[in-house]
Amino acid sequence: SFPLCSICLPSFVIICEVTPAMLKEKLHALENNPKLAPLIQFIKFGLVGVSNTLISYAVEMLCYYVLFASVGWSENTKIIVTSLLSFIISVTNAYYWNSRHVFAKEGVQSFRQRFVTYLKTVGCYALTGLLLAPWLKTLLVAHSVAYWLASLLTLLVTIPLNFLMNKLWAFK
């Protein structure tokens, strides 16, 4: 065990010791609480989403500024190929973590079952990220909403929708 915190008070010291096993036990208890399980699952989905965003951005910057910097492609081709690669890599990351920690199934799945789930995951992210998000942003901007705000408002629709599509369809 390791000391996580200690608070010194005038007459005594309170020492809180938390071990990784204790944290795992507490998380397991939260996940098995029927009232909190959906919230915990959504939080996990959100954490996967944060990692996807970071991975997508890193891949995009690496491709654009390093891998394709001196390739003789047009600017549009470079952007399209870079966007496609970052999308595929980040969705593959999402599938990996979601299938193991967010929507994990008991038992062994065949390669075919996992592949179909992967394709459904790609479909969910394509629908929300490549079709719905640009459409909503365009609609909002056309109604005088600033682009930065339109992007944030779009997330309020696409994140919960993506969660529901993954939960109720892709990983069902």
Side-chain angles (χ1 to χ4, degrees), residues 56 59-60 63 68 76-92 118 122 126 130:
S56 179
V59 169
E60 197 172 342
C63 287
F68 304 143
N76 288 347
T77 301
K78 227 173 19 172
I79 290 170
I80 290 168
V81 171
T82 294
S83 297
L84 184 62
L85 283 173
S86 67
F87 175 79
I88 291 168
I89 291 169
S90 69
V91 170
T92 302
Y118 173 75
V122 170
L130 301 177

Side-chain angles (χ1 to χ4, degrees), residues 5-16:
C5 64
S6 60
I7 303 169
C8 298
L9 298 174
S11 58
F12 57 92
V13 175
I14 300 172
I15 297 179
C16 306

